[in-house]
Amino acid sequence: MTLFKWSKPIGAICAIAIILYGWIGLAQSPQPSVRLTTNPPINQVRPLEAEATTVLGSGHYNPPVQLMLQAFDAQGQSLKDAKIHLQLFTPPKNPWFTTDFPIVEGTKLLDIEGNAPTGQLQVQQTLPIRGTYQLLVAVTPLVANAFEPIKQTLTLTLPENPLKFRYFGILVVILLAVGLLGGWVIGGRQAIQPGEIAPQQVRLLLSGLIVVAIAALLWVNISAELAESYMSMPGMGEEVPSSGKPAKLQSQGLYMQLSGDKSATVGQPAKLQVSVSDPKTSQPVTDVVLKVTTTQLENNWVAFAYEGTPDSNGKLAWEQEFFDGAPHSVVIEVAPQAKAKEQFQPFQVAENIPVEGVAPPMAVRLISLTYFTGIVVIGLLLGLWLRHRQTPRTGLTWKRSVS
């Protein structure tokens, strides 16, 4: 009877253990995944905002970072005949510690979908700011039900340029020294003339600080507002040079057209599309390779590049954000695949796109100015404290002269 009494609880415990073991084993079993690698390694990359300066960087613009996405099945084998959809988002907004491009914070930098016969998608993208980028990746089969779709979120953390911390520290020391000197002067024993509320040196120092603060505030904000209004006036923006190539072209039995947005604004993605077809039958052509290159024309650096094949409709569509307020050139080159029946000489279509710059928000500028002013105030208080400790307590610090 005792054995029978305990048989049911023991059986229930065993059943629960079997279920938990199976669940844990299923959870720990290999799952389909997407792996991200970069070239060069991400810890060797610097944000665009500093890499081209002679003080903070190399003095020239480096090539864009190569982002390589590889899809694997549960056995760790590369997926074949896949389609990969990539969405790349910039680091989220942080108003208290903003970057040099606050407008592009928390925005979509790139949105592209391409065929991946070997399960791999490669893009080259210039990363404008420091912080953690988010990549939303969706992998689907080109052949229906060939494998289960994969959705995965990846992250990419771009470090700040170390030299910026060094120069920021130097600036902080200078501002503290200015405040310390001012506090030391104010805290000294000085005579107050009849009818004055403070000694002449103190009044001159405070007046100078106020004038400098007001001038800095006016210069930072008015110059930014004038630049923004200047760019928004019709015909007053930077002149966009001609690309020298047509946006649509018929050549060697093919018709290729680049279409989409003709202008862009910093912080907003622009939609672009290229299509390839047979001009005689109007049927899409898919056995070609498309090479996309977006170049900033003012300093001639590459913002984005991609090489892939069109979809079943002979089209390649993508969205990209132009984060620098300068004209950009979008060039598409078409070439035949190695095993294509029809071979031809590669040719190009292009479009030059004007990009409207956007001034940083007023709040960001005021916060930055507040930080610098706060550092000066801290130095001022420190100077007063040090002067107070040194001065003997034999009476009032400021003595009013008797006529």
Side-chain angles (χ1 to χ4, degrees):
M1 293 295 292
T2 303
L3 181 61
F4 179 76
K5 178 180 180 181
W6 289 99
S7 63
K8 290 184 177 180
I10 292 175
I13 293 173
C14 291
I16 294 174
I18 292 173
I19 294 173
L20 289 176
Y21 179 80
W23 180 80
I24 294 174
L26 180 62
Q28 294 180 346
S29 62
Q31 299 291 326
S33 62
V34 179
R35 183 182 303 165
L36 169 66
T37 56
T38 66
N39 185 27
I42 195 63
N43 59 358
Q44 299 179 9
V45 181
R46 295 294 178 262
L48 174 74
E49 61 195 32
E51 69 176 356
T53 61
T54 55
V55 177
L56 298 177
S58 60
H60 65 274
Y61 290 94
N62 295 323
V65 182
Q66 187 176 47
L67 307 178
M68 294 168 284
L69 297 171
Q70 180 68 58
F72 296 94
D73 60 17
Q75 287 72 41
Q77 302 295 321
S78 298
L79 288 174
K80 305 296 183 182
D81 298 325
K83 180 183 292 184
I84 299 180
H85 182 198
L86 168 65
Q87 297 181 77
L88 175 62
F89 294 88
T90 59
K93 291 182 178 295
N94 187 342
W96 306 111
F97 300 99
T98 184
T99 63
D100 286 354
F101 293 139
I103 297 299
V104 307
E105 296 173 3
T107 59
K108 183 191 293 185
L109 188 61
L110 178 65
D111 189 336
I112 189 170
E113 184 177 61
N115 294 337
T118 61
Q120 186 179 83
L121 178 75
Q122 295 187 19
V123 299
Q124 297 181 54
Q125 177 66 56
T126 294
L127 304 177
I129 58 176
R130 69 176 186 271
T132 300
Y133 292 76
Q134 188 178 63
L135 298 88
L136 304 184
V137 184
V139 184
T140 54
L142 289 174
V143 180
N145 302 321
F147 58 84
E148 288 294 325
I150 304 172
K151 288 187 177 181
Q152 191 169 340
T153 300
L154 304 171
T155 57
L156 185 71
T157 301
L158 182 65
E160 182 59 280
N161 191 332
L163 289 176
K164 294 192 71 173
F165 295 110
R166 179 188 301 178
Y167 289 111
F168 177 75
I170 295 174
L171 177 61
V172 169
V173 170
I174 294 174
L175 294 177
L176 281 174
V178 172
L180 184 65
L181 178 62
W184 184 269
V185 172
I186 293 176
R189 289 190 173 188
Q190 302 175 35
I192 301 177
Q193 301 300 325
E196 296 180 342
I197 60 174
Q200 183 179 7
Q201 293 183 354
V202 174
R203 288 185 283 110
L204 290 176
L205 177 61
L206 292 177
S207 299
L209 290 176
I210 292 173
V211 170
V212 170
I214 293 176
L217 178 63
L218 291 176
W219 181 82
V220 170
N221 291 283
I222 294 178
S223 61
E225 293 298 329
L226 289 177
E228 184 176 11
S229 60
Y230 178 83
M231 291 298 297
S232 63
M233 292 176 61
M236 296 302 292
E238 185 173 355
E239 183 178 354
V240 181
S242 173
S243 65
K245 299 181 179 66
K248 53 185 178 181
L249 179 63
Q250 180 176 330
S251 176
Q252 306 174 72
L254 291 179
Y255 176 74
M256 182 166 63
Q257 180 178 5
L258 173 61
S259 58
D261 294 338
K262 302 301 181 182
S263 62
T265 303
V266 172
Q268 300 177 12
K271 297 181 179 180
L272 298 167
Q273 176 181 279
V274 60
S275 60
V276 185
S277 62
D278 186 332
K280 296 180 180 179
T281 62
S282 299
Q283 294 298 313
V285 176
T286 59
D287 58 348
V288 295
V289 177
L290 298 173
K291 183 178 180 181
V292 182
T293 305
T294 300
T295 305
Q296 196 256 32
L297 296 177
E298 190 175 80
N299 303 107
N300 198 34
W301 49 266
V302 177
F304 167 71
Y306 170 74
E307 183 174 334
T309 58
D311 59 16
S312 58
N313 297 318
K315 298 179 180 180
L316 173 65
W318 74 98
E319 295 181 19
Q320 67 176 108
E321 178 183 339
F322 298 91
F323 47 82
D324 190 15
H328 286 65
S329 172
V330 180
V331 179
I332 315 295
E333 180 179 278
V334 60
Q337 295 184 12
K339 298 181 179 179
K341 295 181 179 180
E342 299 292 337
Q343 296 293 317
F344 57 90
Q345 291 296 321
F347 62 93
Q348 297 178 343
V349 294
E351 183 81 40
N352 284 2
I353 299 178
V355 181
E356 180 183 354
V358 179
M362 180 71 72
V364 172
R365 287 172 265 159
L366 289 177
I367 289 174
S368 300
L369 185 62
T370 300
Y371 286 156
F372 295 139
T373 305
I375 295 172
V376 175
V377 171
I378 292 174
L380 185 67
L381 296 176
L382 182 61
L384 288 171
W385 179 74
L386 291 175
R387 187 73 172 196
H388 178 70
R389 285 177 57 88
Q390 186 189 42
T391 303
R393 298 183 179 181
T394 56
L396 294 176
T397 301
W398 292 345
K399 294 183 177 181
R400 193 177 290 274
S401 61
V402 180
S403 56

